[in-house]
Amino acid sequence: MSSTQKRPLPSLISVVSLSIASWFVLVPMVNSIKLPFGDRYNDIISAASVKNISPYTDYLKFFTLLLIPALVAAIILTLKHQFFDRVISILTSKLSQILLFKAIVPVLLGYWIIYNGFIDAKNWGVPDWGSPVTDTFHEGEFLGLLPNFLDQEKPFLNTFFIHGFGLDALPSILAHQLAWQDNVIALTRFFYLCESAIAVFTCLWILWEIVGSVQLKVDRTKVFIISAILYCFIANILFKVYGGRDALFLIQIALTLRFFRLTVNRDRFPKARVLFLSFLVGISLPIGFLHTYDRAAYFIVVYLCVSVLSIALGKQVLIFWMGGSAIGLTLSSGLIVSILGWDQFSEILGQVSYWSKYGKYLAFLPFSSIELTYVSFLDWWPILFLSSVLVYLVWDYASRNFSPSFWTDNALTIILLVASLTYMRILIDRSPGMGVFAALPASFLFAYLLLKTYNYHVENRGFNLAKKTSLQCLLTLSLVGIIIAEPGFNIFEGTRQIGKLYQSLWVSDAELLVEGYQEAFNELQPEVDRQSCFYTLTSEGLWYYLFDKPSCSKINYTYYVRPKKMQESVVRELQDRHPNIVLLTNAMWSNKIDGIPIADSASLIYQYIITHYEPYRLIASHWFWKKRDKPITFVPQKLTSVGNIDTLCSSPEKCEALNESSQLKIKAKHNNLLKGFALSPQQNRPADAVYLSYGKDDQLIAVTSVQSDTHWELPIPAKSLPRERGIFKVWGYDSSQGKLMQIGSDLQFKIQD
């Protein structure tokens, strides 16, 4: 028998820890490896030769990563086992006590807030700092209402908010007051993203309350730091913060969690502090509707459910929750009404009613099918998770024989579950790709239940994982790896971005405008200045800001005016204020959101404009129209000299030639196009526009510009037309005579679903 003592087999945790540690050292070096392509095959033109990289580069990288960890293990195994454990223990304790928990992590979390609040903001409609305003729809939402608040005595009466005053108007108002060199757009971005940064910071506050609510035996600060690092890493993978619109909602959730954390499972609690927390919640209820309509409504549901829950938690909790919040609600409501007046406050409530009634119909997209793909998983995982939590609560309640202790033990679970279920409206109303946004409250619930599970199944059963050296090493190395991988923890890049952010605050508005917008503004500003208001059907708030004119209609975004009675209201406002110049269309995607053109979604407004206005200026892609001096004249002669209709397309790949006897079969779900050419017979040039009329009364329903080679493509707004047989006519427009001359024959058609 050999006298050599056998060394015990290494644990799985030790093996993984060693591999990860080796890779931390190797990866930066391996990434820099680049073998030259060489001269042997210099006649080959390929990506490798162009970039001068030898194919053997990857072989070298592969074997380096494969073999070096094993070599390190062989060296370590020649040392005493106790020495290896001692080294790991010293490194782990020093790293956790000195670096992670006292110095680096607070800085990293600060940079994560800055990164997610200010730098990585594309999901919130703000491009990279200093870049031009390319998303004139979303950026216009918090720029376009500024003119309403500069000149009106009671702006809330004549301003229709898309989200709420705190999101749509407050950033631009602050920017306007503080701008120093025509840099309102840059400052508006900054203040808008300040709200986003507040939302991101509040996520960490909520996580702090969650960690504090679980009675863990280990140090609370260390658990929070580990949880925060993991939470920051998973953010933008399984869930996302939805920007500034979440700021107040998250603060309300944090206050609520803190209230119940201090009251539940305690014989005595700090009464003054608890009363103050409920008071703050009450104050926030009406303020929420000033900030963001939908999030305020979400929290009202949470508040009502929590109020019912407080009944089951005992008389003291009920009195402090309902009493403090009622006082705050009364004072806050009274203060708002005294400042704004009842007429403006009631207008806000009326807008909340409009959105609650029509909002889901304006932007609804059906839920996509559930598949075993990552993209699909992002949508359905929060639903599966919340369903499982609900099953657990029902089961737990029944297993306790309906004991009141159920409500005390599961109070925070129920609060976070209600918040998560309410917030899922984001996914339900506009499903594809929205799962990561709708999962935000669910991520807090998941973190809370994970910590409770650890507390119950690990700590309460006598396991002391904190004393396992190999596990400490693995956890520390994993956290270091996460810190390296998470962009929001990159202090060096973050510092550079902060400098770039600071410099961008000085960028003037003119530098941030896309060329076509600047050109149109320069050319038309003198004429628009003579108007009291402006209107665009393109749903771009940027135009109202550029021309410094309020919208001629209370609702400045045509996209949100879908109900017929609201369209009729907008038409009446346009008739009353009769702006001389309006913007009909341009190349911006907001002309056709979700594949629905404005000619269909707001047909009454669109038809009013093309009937009472005429083409005026086409600057870049921006087609401005001018009010008619006299009614339009129809010339119904079928003149082949003024043009022809030759093609009907239901898709780019499916087109058919037309003739005089053609019967058009049109499916409303398709984007149907008529094609042809059109001339102005008086001047032998392209016609000024081509119109489409519907029915025997020649109701104008669509219009398009004509290309320089006389060809045109005219969309058919079939989605807004009756499902029946009818007649289309195509007309060429001559602005010099103010006449519409029919092109080709009448087109018999039938629209089908």
Side-chain angles (χ1 to χ4, degrees), residues 343-557:
D343 52 352
Q344 293 198 92
F345 185 67
S346 61
E347 173 63 29
I348 293 173
L349 298 180
Q351 292 179 23
V352 173
S353 176
Y354 174 84
W355 286 115
S356 63
K357 184 176 182 179
Y358 297 113
K360 63 180 65 68
Y361 299 102
L362 302 184
F364 171 73
L365 290 176
F367 194 78
S368 54
S369 58
I370 297 177
E371 301 172 349
L372 292 178
T373 62
Y374 174 70
V375 174
S376 178
F377 170 74
L378 292 179
D379 272 345
W380 59 258
W381 84 263
I383 303 176
L384 177 63
F385 171 65
L386 296 177
S387 176
S388 302
V389 173
L390 192 59
V391 170
Y392 162 77
L393 290 175
V394 172
W395 199 320
D396 186 37
Y397 188 53
S399 66
R400 294 173 186 251
N401 294 320
F402 316 111
S403 169
S405 63
F406 167 84
W407 304 105
T408 303
D409 294 343
N410 293 290
L412 268 65
T413 302
I414 295 171
I415 293 171
L416 289 171
L417 176 63
V418 172
S420 302
L421 292 173
T422 306
Y423 200 83
M424 288 297 288
R425 188 214 65 104
I426 295 172
L427 176 62
I428 296 170
D429 279 2
R430 195 168 177 83
S431 297
M434 298 303 293
V436 290
F437 294 105
L440 177 60
S443 69
F444 297 125
L445 177 58
F446 180 78
Y448 175 65
L449 293 179
L450 195 63
L451 289 172
K452 284 191 67 175
T453 301
Y454 170 79
N455 175 248
Y456 180 79
H457 290 286
V458 178
E459 286 192 336
N460 291 342
R461 295 194 177 186
F463 294 100
N464 195 345
L465 299 180
K467 292 185 178 180
K468 291 187 174 294
T469 304
S470 56
L471 183 62
Q472 286 187 25
C473 179
L474 178 60
L475 178 60
T476 303
L477 291 172
S478 299
L479 292 177
V480 172
I482 288 173
I483 290 171
I484 294 173
E486 168 56 33
F489 290 152
N490 191 326
I491 297 177
F492 304 103
E493 176 64 17
T495 302
R496 189 183 70 83
Q497 290 289 350
I498 291 173
K500 180 181 176 182
L501 186 155
Y502 177 74
Q503 293 174 359
S504 69
L505 296 179
W506 271 260
V507 179
S508 66
D509 292 351
E511 296 176 75
L512 294 176
L513 293 181
V514 177
E515 183 177 353
Y517 287 83
Q518 183 70 63
E519 182 184 356
F521 167 69
N522 291 337
E523 292 192 25
L524 289 176
Q525 183 187 18
E527 294 182 75
V528 176
D529 276 347
R530 294 193 289 268
Q531 300 179 182
S532 63
C533 61
F534 182 73
Y535 192 74
T536 172
L537 279 75
T538 62
S539 298
E540 299 171 279
L542 180 66
W543 291 108
Y544 303 110
Y545 169 72
L546 289 181
F547 289 124
D548 194 19
K549 297 292 180 183
S551 170
C552 297
S553 168
K554 180 184 293 186
I555 306 180
N556 66 342
Y557 270 44

Side-chain angles (χ1 to χ4, degrees), residues 120-139:
D120 187 26
K122 293 182 179 63
N123 291 317
W124 309 329
V126 177
D128 293 336
W129 282 89
S131 63
V133 181
T134 55
D135 189 352
T136 51
F137 180 94
H138 289 103
E139 283 214 69

Side-chain angles (χ1 to χ4, degrees), residues 97-274:
Q97 292 175 13
I98 298 176
L99 297 179
L100 277 178
F101 296 105
K102 290 188 177 180
I104 293 181
V105 169
V107 176
L108 293 176
L109 294 181
Y111 271 92
W112 186 77
I113 293 172
I114 294 171
Y115 176 81
N116 285 274
F118 291 97
I119 298 170
D120 187 26
K122 293 182 179 63
N123 291 317
W124 309 329
V126 177
D128 293 336
W129 282 89
S131 63
V133 181
T134 55
D135 189 352
T136 51
F137 180 94
H138 289 103
E139 283 214 69
E141 285 179 340
F142 44 86
L143 283 167
L145 297 180
L146 181 59
N148 288 51
F149 283 84
L150 297 180
D151 302 320
Q152 300 186 57
E153 183 179 351
K154 292 187 175 182
F156 287 88
L157 286 179
N158 299 299
T159 303
F160 193 90
F161 297 106
I162 298 168
H163 306 101
F165 168 77
L167 204 66
D168 293 342
L170 183 59
S172 60
I173 292 174
L174 292 174
H176 180 266
Q177 295 297 323
L178 298 175
W180 54 82
Q181 52 179 31
D182 193 28
N183 58 338
V184 174
I185 295 178
L187 286 182
T188 299
R189 288 177 173 180
F190 173 75
F191 286 119
Y192 172 71
L193 293 182
C194 280
E195 295 188 51
S196 301
I198 291 172
V200 175
F201 169 78
T202 309
C203 288
L204 298 179
W205 177 13
I206 292 175
L207 195 61
W208 173 261
E209 298 299 332
I210 287 173
V211 171
S213 65
V214 182
Q215 302 300 316
L216 297 170
K217 297 178 181 178
V218 293
D219 181 76
R220 174 185 174 185
T221 303
K222 291 184 178 181
V223 174
F224 167 73
I225 288 177
I226 294 172
S227 302
I229 292 174
L230 295 174
Y231 186 86
C232 294
F233 179 70
I234 297 174
N236 299 318
I237 298 176
L238 293 180
F239 62 90
K240 293 182 180 180
V241 185
Y242 211 163
R245 69 185 69 184
D246 279 336
L248 187 55
F249 173 77
L250 291 174
I251 290 174
Q252 290 172 317
I253 295 297
L255 291 171
T256 303
L257 291 178
R258 186 166 184 81
F259 174 91
F260 283 92
R261 181 172 73 81
L262 295 177
T263 56
V264 175
N265 291 321
R266 293 195 181 189
D267 297 329
R268 295 181 179 180
F269 50 79
K271 296 182 179 179
R273 196 188 315 170
V274 165

Side-chain angles (χ1 to χ4, degrees), residues 19-93:
S19 300
I20 293 175
S22 300
W23 274 45
F24 282 151
V25 177
L26 290 173
V27 167
M29 295 187 294
V30 167
N31 286 335
S32 63
I33 294 175
K34 180 182 176 181
L35 300 178
F37 185 81
D39 298 328
R40 185 175 181 182
Y41 300 104
N42 56 12
D43 59 331
I44 296 177
I45 306 301
S46 66
S49 64
V50 171
K51 296 180 179 180
N52 192 27
I53 299 177
S54 169
Y56 291 101
T57 298
D58 285 347
Y59 285 87
L60 180 57
K61 292 180 179 181
F62 171 78
F63 285 110
T64 300
L65 293 173
L66 177 69
L67 300 177
I68 294 300
L71 178 62
V72 174
I75 294 173
I76 290 176
L77 288 174
T78 63
L79 304 174
K80 292 184 179 180
H81 189 66
Q82 293 80 4
F83 175 78
F84 177 51
D85 284 346
R86 181 62 179 164
V87 169
I88 291 180
S89 177
I90 293 174
L91 290 176
T92 302
S93 61

